[in-house]
Structure formats: structure tokens, C-alpha cells
């Protein structure tokens, strides 16, 4: 069991995790044990603080992730439990200096606890971000209803057009999700191929829409990641509402969308 004392900044991040988990549950985006959340907390701890705590569990991480300290949710855990049982449903783990094992230094206070089966994806994304987008410390994966529906639509095969149609629904979507979403081809959960296609998405976007599965966002913190997902899904919801009402939305014009770029 972890015994490390958490810095105030880390405790604040965990409080935000609990808040965002509540949002996801209320939206019906986190059924049963669906979804997972992680944060790269390496900068908040010294190596002396994290070494020697807990028992090492063998795991084959990307070599560059050696020494990382990561907050992550647990396998089989329900995101709704993060609201008031965060130490049972998640943990902070330390990846050893050889990237061959991890030890839990905080949380995981549930019998048989283990990190999410998407651990390889999260570790790989955090390694990519640390090199290419070091400001992005948080990763949130969830199941936004309308975005998932869009991943079954033919528009999913035309990423640029899908983004244009989402942006044109209202100005805020263009302003607050300026990079749009990436239409990420299907890959099996809990595998390296899924990590690879998600990293490819994050080269140009903040949101990876996993085909017929869900969406993953990366941002400086969990609230900003939630905001990306929330706003993008609003675009999908508005678009589908218009279709359901039997009409094609007029949408913002290309000129109007270009004018909004000054606010992004």
C-alpha cells in the first residue's frame, strides 16, 4: 500500500478528478467500469520521495517512461467511485528506473487492486506528451454518447468534413476545440496498437475519437480534458438533433468560421 504524503498541488488535482468523474457519470459516459483517467505527476515528486515504496510489479513499459510518477484509475473500477472512494478506485504509481516494473505509492486500497488494463496506452501517451506537448499532463478516456454515434457515421471517414460540421453548429465549438477531433481507426482495447493510433491522433489534435468505442482527450489538467470532450460532444449532439428533426442545419459559413480563428 502507498504511504507517501501528497503535495497540496497533487491533492488539488485529485479533487478535480473526483469532480470530473461525477460529470462523466451524470452524463452516462461512464457505464459500469467504462473509462479511465491518468495524470503525469512526475514533476511533483523527487526520486528520493518515491523510491522504495510499495512492492514492484513487473510490467513492460516504454523505456522512456522510466522514473515517471503517474496517477491512474484501477482495472474493473467504476469511475463513479472516484467521487468518494478515490483511494480505492485509483492509485499513484512509480515506474522504476529500468521501466520494467511499477510500484504503487498511494491509493489502490482495494483487495486485488491493479491499474487499468489501458496502462500501456496511458504510459505511452504520457511519454509522447512529455517530449512533444509537455503542457499536457492529463488523459481522460470516456464514452461520450453522441461522439460515439458519429464514429459509426460515414462522416467518420472524412475527418476534415466531420470537424467542419461540428464547428459550424455554434461558435463555441470552433473556439474551444480549435484543433478538432481525430477520427482514430478501430484498435483492440488494452493493446499497443491502440496506444499507437491514439498517439498519432495527439500529434495534431487534443481529442482522439476511437472508432465504435469512445473518445480520449489530453490537456494540461483533467478539467480541461473534460472541457474538450464536453464541447466536442455538444457539436455532435446538436448536429444529430437537427438530423433527427428532419432538416440539415444551415451552420456557420466558412467565412464565419475563419473569423472565429482570432479567438482560438
Amino acid at each position: 500500500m502507498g504511504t507517501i504524503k501528497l503535495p497540496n498541488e497533487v491533492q488539488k488535482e485529485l479533487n478535480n478528478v473526483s469532480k470530473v468523474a461525477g460529470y462523466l457519470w451524470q452524463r452516462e459516459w461512464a457505464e459500469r467500469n467504462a473509462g479511465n483517467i491518468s495524470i503525469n505527476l512526475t514533476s511533483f515528486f523527487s526520486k528520493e520521495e518515491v523510491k522504495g515504496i510499495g512492492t514492484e510489479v513487473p510490467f513492460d513499459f516504454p523505456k522512456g517512461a522510466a522514473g515517471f510518477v503517474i496517477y491512474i484509475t484501477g482495472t474493473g473500477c467504476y469511475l463513479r467511485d472516484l467521487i468518494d472512494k478515490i483511494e480505492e478506485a485509483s492509485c499513484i504509481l512509480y515506474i522504476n528506473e529500468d521501466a520494467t516494473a511499477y510500484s504503487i505509492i498511494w491509493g489502490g486500497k482495494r483487495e486485488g487492486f491493479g491499474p487499468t488494463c489501458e496502462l500501456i496506452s496511458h504510459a505511452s501517451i504520457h511519454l509522447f506528451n512529455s517530449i512533444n506537448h509537455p503542457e499536457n499532463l492529463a488523459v481522460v478516456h470516456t464514452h461520450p454518447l453522441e461522439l460515439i454515434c458519429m464514429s459509426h457515421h460515414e462522416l467518420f471517414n472524412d475527418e476534415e468534413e466531420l470537424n467542419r460540421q461540428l464547428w459550424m453548429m455554434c461558435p463555441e465549438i470552433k473556439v474551444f476545440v480549435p484543433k478538432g477531433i481525430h477520427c482514430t481507426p478501430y484498435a483492440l482495447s488494452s493493446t499497443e496498437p491502440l496506444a499507437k493510433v491514439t498517439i498519432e491522433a495527439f500529434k495534431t489534435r487534443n481529442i482522439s475519437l476511437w472508432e465504435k468505442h469512445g473518445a480520449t482527450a489530453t490537456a494540461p489538467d483533467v478539467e480541461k480534458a473534460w472541457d474538450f470532450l464536453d464541447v466536442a460532444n455538444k457539436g455532435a449532439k446538436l448536429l444529430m438533433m437537427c438530423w433527427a428533426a428532419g432538416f440539415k442545419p444551415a451552420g456557420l459559413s466558412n467565412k464565419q468560421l475563419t473569423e472565429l480563428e482570432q479567438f482560438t
Side-chain angles (χ1 to χ4, degrees), residues 153-165:
H153 193 273
E154 61 184 14
L155 273 174
F156 187 81
N157 298 318
D158 188 341
E159 184 173 302
E160 294 304 321
E161 180 59 19
L162 174 56
N163 277 304
R164 190 186 72 83
Q165 292 209 29

Side-chain angles (χ1 to χ4, degrees), residues 73-133:
T73 46
T75 186
C77 293
Y78 296 3
L79 289 193
R80 63 178 182 257
D81 286 341
L82 297 175
I83 299 169
D84 56 4
K85 293 183 255 184
I86 192 168
E87 288 191 64
E88 297 177 22
S90 62
C91 73
I92 297 175
L93 59 81
Y94 165 66
I95 301 174
N96 71 10
E97 295 303 308
D98 299 318
T100 57
Y102 67 84
S103 53
I104 293 176
I105 64 173
W106 177 91
K109 294 183 177 180
R110 189 182 87 167
E111 186 175 352
F113 178 89
T116 173
C117 58
E118 299 288 1
L119 179 57
I120 186 65
S121 292
H122 283 266
S124 300
I125 291 167
H126 286 302
L127 175 57
F128 169 79
N129 278 344
S130 70
I131 298 168
N132 299 280
H133 300 290

Side-chain angles (χ1 to χ4, degrees), residues 109 211 263-264:
K109 294 183 177 180
E211 184 178 7
F263 301 112
T264 64

